[in-house]
Amino acid sequence: MDQHDHRAQNREAPEPEEGTRAAPKFVLAWIAILIVWGVGYYAWQIGKPMLGGDSRTPVAAEHQNSKPVEAASSGNAEISESADTSGAEEEEHDASNSAEPSTSEPESSNTAASEDAGTSSTASAEMAGVDGKALFSAHCSSCHQPTGQGIPGAFPPLAGSKWLQADPNIPIAIVHDGLQGEIEVAGNTFQGMMPPLGGQLSDAEIAAVLTYARSEWGNTASEVSPDTVAKHKERFGDRGSWSAEELTEVFGEH
């Protein structure tokens, strides 16, 4: 068979062979980068609280269940006190017709003092068992940092922040409803958005995390009560994010 008889065979490409070409280097590089990133991310998350699922505490539900008991106890105490007062007045009237009834001013003072004490004890009961520091670490520290110094140019600091230490209604509005737009903190301007946490945290949890932040890193502002958070919700409902101008217009200068 001469050379002309093999022309068709010579035109065919050689048979492909498996496993003779190595994987491209950029593929191997990407695999190595992903492995290093995965190991580094896992190591960085060690020791931090898990953020998956519902991280709320059951304190709010416990408080709701305890309200009828507290109301019943308060009602029984008031009835007992009223009965004792009536008995004492009758005895005094029988002993001497000239005895004058007690004035209403001391009674009003005692009633106001009892109401204040009741409100304070109720707020303390609501916040009992809620760890504001743990909530801050889970929901706030990634942006504002555990030191409260924030990230320059990205997230404003909380240490020394006048917005945080002003009227409690201002930080409540920011945390519950969110904040969007330009805001000036400690002489620096920040542009961004803070997501609302009202759907994730209960009233007691918002009060606890704000109380922690307002008293940490040199801050000396007063604590925030769950009742104040509840009043904010009643007043504004489920509104959208605030801007710095709206906060100043509604709540005054910080």
Side-chain angles (χ1 to χ4, degrees):
M1 184 178 292
D2 58 16
Q3 183 178 2
H4 296 288
D5 297 329
H6 293 281
R7 286 179 296 179
Q9 184 177 358
N10 292 335
R11 287 197 301 267
E12 298 293 332
E15 292 293 330
E17 297 181 5
E18 183 178 358
T20 58
R21 297 181 61 185
K25 293 183 178 180
F26 75 91
V27 174
L28 297 177
W30 270 113
I31 293 174
I33 291 173
L34 290 175
I35 293 175
V36 172
W37 176 84
V39 173
Y41 182 81
Y42 177 79
W44 183 63
Q45 293 293 331
I46 293 177
K48 293 188 176 182
M50 298 182 66
L51 302 181
D54 191 350
S55 60
R56 291 179 292 180
T57 63
V59 174
E62 293 177 358
H63 172 62
Q64 292 175 357
N65 293 333
S66 66
K67 277 185 176 180
V69 178
E70 293 177 358
S73 300
S74 177
N76 292 336
E78 290 178 358
I79 293 173
S80 177
E81 181 180 354
S82 176
D84 293 341
T85 304
S86 299
E89 289 179 353
E90 289 178 358
E91 291 177 358
E92 184 178 358
H93 179 72
D94 294 340
S96 174
N97 293 330
S98 61
E100 296 182 357
S102 59
T103 60
S104 60
E105 183 175 356
E107 293 180 358
S108 301
S109 300
N110 294 336
T111 303
S114 300
E115 292 177 353
D116 292 342
T119 302
S120 177
S121 61
T122 301
S124 300
E126 288 180 343
M127 295 177 62
V130 182
D131 191 341
K133 183 176 181 180
L135 290 169
F136 181 88
S137 177
H139 297 277
C140 314
S141 63
S142 59
C143 295
H144 297 289
Q145 301 300 298
T147 59
Q149 297 299 323
I151 299 178
F155 302 106
L158 300 181
S161 171
K162 294 182 179 179
W163 293 96
L164 174 63
Q165 300 183 80
D167 179 356
N169 288 293
I170 293 180
I172 289 174
I174 295 175
V175 172
H176 185 272
D177 305 320
L179 178 69
Q180 188 170 8
E182 187 176 282
I183 186 171
E184 182 177 342
V185 181
N188 298 314
T189 301
F190 297 86
Q191 177 74 36
M193 182 192 73
M194 175 175 171
L197 298 179
Q200 303 179 38
L201 302 179
S202 66
D203 296 351
E205 288 172 328
I206 292 178
V209 72
L210 285 177
T211 296
Y212 167 77
R214 283 162 62 90
S215 60
E216 194 71 9
W217 317 298
N219 296 340
T220 58
S222 60
E223 69 177 21
V224 179
S225 69
D227 290 338
T228 308
V229 181
K231 291 178 181 177
H232 172 85
K233 292 166 60 176
E234 292 177 1
R235 180 181 178 186
F236 297 101
D238 295 330
R239 59 155 290 155
S241 299
W242 295 81
S243 66
E245 292 77 11
E246 290 175 331
L247 291 172
T248 301
E249 180 180 351
V250 174
F251 302 108
E253 294 290 340
H254 59 278

